[in-house]
Amino acid sequence: MGEQLPVVSLFSGAGGLDLAVERADAEPLVSGDPGGGLLRVSVATDYNEPALQTLKANFHDAATLTGDIRQVFTEQILDAAGLCAEEPVLLVGGPPCTPFSKSGFWLEQKRESRDPNASLLDEYVRIVRESRPEAFILENVQGLTYKTHKAQFERLLRGLGELGYNPQWKVLLAADYGVPQLRRRVFVVGRRDGEKFEFPEPTHSGWSERDRRIDATKIPHVTAAQAFADLPRLVPASLDEIVDGQYGELAAEIPPGQNYLWHTERYDGRNQFEWRSRYWTFLLRLDPNRPSTTLQAQPGPWVGPFHWENVLTSSGEERARRLRVNEMLRLMSFPDDFKISGTRSDVQRQLGNAVPLELGKAVVRALMDQLGYLDRRQAVRDVVFA
């Protein structure tokens, strides 16, 4: 297998970027392919213990470090990994996205970009400065690039640029890289040698809420139905899967791909809501013929996406149902055997905050290719098997 290249992971969460790192040289969209072991996560850090339990269950060789990154010295992180400054090939991580997420905009401090957790971006820059990795990858929600957070985003780019890393950024749509989910995330990538990073070209195409142009030369977007095709059908549904209560009947009547707007005067439902009076995800049902909308990390009881099929309650009433863990794993392009610690809500929170595997792989693979490591690995394999 050859020597594995060390990676430091910050704000690791459920390990979406970590998984992408360790499978970077695996074939795209080949289920269960772990890759050839080009990269290895040497240390993973997070403040959330359930998330670290998930990491320990799936990354047996990685050291883990629990704590608030603002109180953790870079030397502690490197020591846990058995590394010195300049030895990490990659530093990866996604600072918690809550300060920059649209879902928090009802709070004045977030509309005005005053969330104290936003300072975690500065901590990321600090650790890059003190550990001097060969390259870094930072991931976050698209909201980080909005005008509201312009000062923070520009400070981040300026700080990384002053270190000589020539940071490049781009918002990528997960579905364009084979993930069955219309999830947009910003990636910031930089190289210690100052060379410009080129983002990977999309492999898939399809229409989204912002782009109705389809590139016929690319593979069609993976649909939710395709993602779920070979999953077992469990009957009956468990109680925590059933969408019941105040809006239970209304949710069950909404067709696939529609949301609460079905029950306004403009559609054929019951005219229970005012037009555009709720968030888009309210009572949202999956469309089996399209990728899923973004999987929510902390949904309320009426926040979708819910499955497009109804289930029967014990009294024989039809109800919508929430997504199952194996379905959420598929929507994130995670392997079926990925283990996640905690309750169902813990699972959804961890997956909803994670980087979809195939999206992360595309970025990591492009970076390793441009750094020359994939060519070197292939050359070694050619010599070994010659």
Side-chain angles (χ1 to χ4, degrees):
M1 180 166 48
E3 183 180 0
Q4 293 180 296
L5 305 173
V7 178
V8 170
S9 172
L10 309 177
F11 313 104
S12 306
L17 262 181
D18 304 56
L19 200 60
V21 159
E22 297 209 343
R23 300 189 180 210
D25 56 343
E27 287 301 314
L29 301 173
V30 176
S31 178
D33 183 358
L38 173 66
L39 297 164
R40 178 179 66 86
V41 175
S42 298
V43 62
T45 69
D46 205 280
Y47 74 98
N48 183 264
E49 186 57 33
L52 285 180
Q53 291 301 321
T54 293
L55 283 161
K56 291 174 184 177
N58 295 281
F59 302 90
H60 305 295
D61 297 328
T64 56
L65 195 61
T66 309
D68 185 334
I69 201 69
R70 292 167 290 194
Q71 299 172 6
V72 177
F73 295 113
T74 304
E75 185 179 3
Q76 291 175 263
I77 298 172
L78 292 174
D79 285 347
L83 300 170
C84 297
E86 298 195 3
E87 290 185 340
V89 169
L90 285 183
L91 185 145
V92 302
C97 60
T98 305
F100 316 113
S101 173
K102 287 190 297 184
S103 63
F105 270 34
W106 65 82
L107 298 176
E108 182 179 357
Q109 67 173 10
K110 293 187 179 179
R111 288 197 304 272
E112 298 179 1
S113 202
R114 291 189 284 109
D115 192 301
N117 287 329
S119 65
L120 296 177
L121 294 173
D122 299 321
E123 298 301 318
Y124 191 99
V125 175
R126 167 180 68 87
I127 296 173
V128 171
R129 180 176 64 249
E130 295 172 355
S131 65
R132 297 295 296 172
E134 188 170 349
F136 70 81
I137 298 174
L138 183 149
E139 175 271 346
N140 216 292
V141 293
Q142 182 181 6
L144 176 59
T145 67
Y146 292 170
K147 183 178 179 180
T148 306
H149 307 298
K150 180 180 179 180
Q152 292 171 335
F153 192 44
E154 288 183 345
R155 186 172 74 244
L156 168 70
L157 297 176
R158 183 169 59 251
L160 294 168
E162 289 170 352
L163 300 177
Y165 279 84
N166 188 18
Q168 305 297 310
W169 68 273
K170 191 173 185 178
V171 175
L172 303 179
L173 177 64
D176 286 347
Y177 297 88
V179 179
Q181 188 178 167
L182 296 168
R183 186 185 188 97
R184 296 180 187 273
R185 288 296 185 270
V186 63
F187 286 82
V188 183
V189 183
R191 297 172 48 162
R192 189 172 62 202
D193 61 11
E195 292 292 321
K196 182 180 179 181
F197 172 70
E198 299 290 342
F199 282 91
E201 286 295 315
T203 53
H204 293 62
S205 181
W207 66 270
S208 69
E209 74 282 4
R210 301 178 190 178
D211 189 355
R212 298 303 174 99
R213 295 173 299 173
I214 298 177
D215 186 342
T217 67
K218 293 183 169 58
I219 304 168
H221 281 167
V222 180
T223 69
Q226 289 173 323
F228 297 168
D230 60 344
L231 291 177
R233 297 176 66 86
L234 303 178
V235 179
S238 63
L239 286 177
D240 64 349
E241 293 172 356
I242 298 174
V243 182
D244 207 349
Q246 182 179 3
Y247 301 112
E249 287 188 25
L250 296 178
E253 294 171 2
I254 294 174
Q258 300 285 345
N259 61 4
Y260 79 97
L261 293 174
W262 182 256
H263 292 300
T264 64
E265 62 179 2
R266 302 194 189 188
Y267 284 93
D268 296 332
R270 299 196 193 185
N271 193 16
Q272 293 286 315
F273 303 105
E274 295 295 323
W275 182 254
R276 292 186 177 176
S277 60
R278 306 290 179 113
Y279 284 99
W280 177 257
T281 51
F282 189 72
L283 303 185
L284 178 64
R285 307 292 297 269
L286 282 180
D287 183 339
N289 299 315
R290 300 194 62 227
S292 169
T293 54
T294 300
L295 187 66
Q296 303 293 305
Q298 295 179 310
W302 315 114
V303 173
F306 303 131
H307 200 281
W308 60 86
E309 292 181 349
N310 285 336
V311 293
L312 294 178
T313 66
S314 57
S315 58
E317 297 173 307
E318 283 199 354
R319 292 291 184 267
R321 75 162 173 84
R322 297 179 174 84
L323 297 176
R324 293 168 175 149
V325 173
N326 59 359
E327 293 166 340
M328 289 188 280
L329 286 171
R330 290 287 180 90
L331 294 182
M332 294 296 293
S333 64
F334 274 39
D336 290 341
D337 60 355
F338 193 82
K339 304 176 182 66
I340 305 183
S341 300
T343 64
R344 185 191 180 288
S345 60
D346 289 331
V347 170
Q348 180 151 355
R349 181 172 62 253
Q350 291 181 51
L351 285 177
N353 284 324
V355 179
L357 172 57
E358 290 298 331
L359 176 60
K361 274 173 57 179
V363 176
V364 177
R365 188 183 183 95
L367 178 56
M368 298 311 293
D369 184 38
Q370 292 169 41
L371 289 172
Y373 285 108
L374 289 180
D375 287 343
R376 287 174 230 167
R377 174 56 62 93
Q378 187 59 51
V380 170
R381 286 179 179 173
D382 290 345
V383 169
V384 170
F385 293 106

